[in-house]
Amino acid sequence: MGYKPKHFSFNVDGGRCDECKGEGVINVSMQFMADIELECEVCKGTRFKSEILEVKFDEKSISDILHMTVDEALAFFKDNNEEKIVTKLKPLQEVGLGYLQLGQSSSTLSGGEAQRVKLASFLVKGVTTDKTLFIFDEPSTGLHFHDIQKLLKSLQALIDLGHSVIVIEHQPDIIKCADYIIDIGPEAGKHGGEVVFAGTLRI
């Protein structure tokens, strides 16, 4: 039908809904109140033109796929033997972001989630000649214990690839895995700022 990859992106003109520009919602400015968002009446929140939604992969339209979580998408594409897509999605699951929707706006992510998305993007690249110094600010915020273990494995994977990692963290399970610890305190704010401890953790 002459469609190109851009027709299945809501970021550029082509297949996205012309009314809402691929947002799925219309923003209504309220003069004395917070702005409100209304579902687009043309695409009904799907973000795409009707002719694009008619294109299906295993009975799923692009809108259906973008509404899947990472975990759901991994299972879906594994069942369809799409190993290239699985390889790209797997790092997101490994950093504890399996619950995010594929089409979720980056502006809705918390600081910790955004950091872990960037972490996953570097893990996808694998071995590179350029080495990077990563600084993460409390990436474990909001994570369950099991997801913290996934995060630790991902951080170690960066180190194994030759990168360096600095983590600002209060989570004991992450601190005890550090090669070198700098504890700044003794308290917060104006009561802190002093190096209380610097060295390796010996258990």
Side-chain angles (χ1 to χ4, degrees):
M1 298 178 73
Y3 291 149
K4 298 178 180 179
K6 71 172 186 176
H7 289 94
F8 299 91
S9 169
F10 51 73
N11 292 316
V12 294
D13 288 332
R16 71 180 182 182
C17 173
D18 292 327
E19 182 69 19
C20 65
K21 302 300 181 187
E23 293 291 333
V25 294
I26 301 293
N27 193 287
V28 180
S29 179
M30 307 293 285
Q31 192 167 2
F32 300 109
M33 298 168 58
D35 292 352
I36 59 172
E37 290 184 342
L38 300 175
E39 183 181 272
C40 176
E41 293 183 0
V42 176
C43 69
K44 305 299 181 186
T46 63
R47 299 179 166 190
F48 293 91
K49 295 175 181 175
S50 58
E51 56 267 31
I52 297 298
L53 296 174
E54 290 173 2
V55 179
K56 301 287 180 69
F57 177 77
D58 192 19
E59 302 303 315
K60 300 288 186 184
S61 70
I62 183 63
S63 180
D64 295 330
I65 291 172
L66 290 175
H67 278 88
M68 290 180 181
T69 64
V70 171
D71 289 338
E72 291 167 345
L74 271 168
F76 175 74
F77 288 114
K78 276 182 182 176
D79 290 343
N80 284 282
N81 298 313
E82 293 291 336
E83 292 304 318
K84 188 175 181 181
I85 298 176
V86 169
T87 302
K88 296 289 187 182
L89 291 176
K90 192 68 177 172
L92 286 169
Q93 188 182 59
E94 290 172 349
V95 297
L97 295 175
Y99 60 88
L100 291 183
Q101 285 188 349
L102 295 186
Q104 187 168 332
S105 171
S106 59
S107 63
T108 65
L109 301 178
S110 69
E113 288 171 338
Q115 290 185 86
R116 295 198 297 278
V117 167
K118 290 179 182 177
L119 169 58
S121 71
F122 270 86
L123 291 175
V124 167
K125 293 179 182 178
V127 179
T128 60
T129 54
D130 295 328
K131 304 307 176 188
T132 304
L133 170 63
F134 292 88
I135 302 177
F136 294 100
D137 185 8
E138 297 190 343
S140 69
T141 302
L143 283 183
H144 185 273
F145 172 76
H146 295 296
D147 289 326
I148 288 175
Q149 298 307 309
K150 291 180 182 178
L151 175 62
L152 281 169
K153 287 181 181 178
S154 298
L155 293 176
Q156 186 59 52
L158 280 182
I159 295 167
D160 293 341
L161 290 170
H163 303 297
S164 298
V165 178
I166 296 174
V167 182
I168 302 162
E169 192 55 83
H170 297 95
Q171 169 57 247
D173 292 306
I174 292 181
I175 294 171
K176 73 181 183 182
C177 293
D179 294 321
Y180 195 84
I181 300 169
I182 301 173
D183 186 9
I184 298 177
E187 296 181 36
K190 65 180 181 180
H191 302 295
E194 302 293 330
V195 176
V196 177
F197 171 82
T200 58
L201 182 64
R202 294 181 177 85
I203 299 177

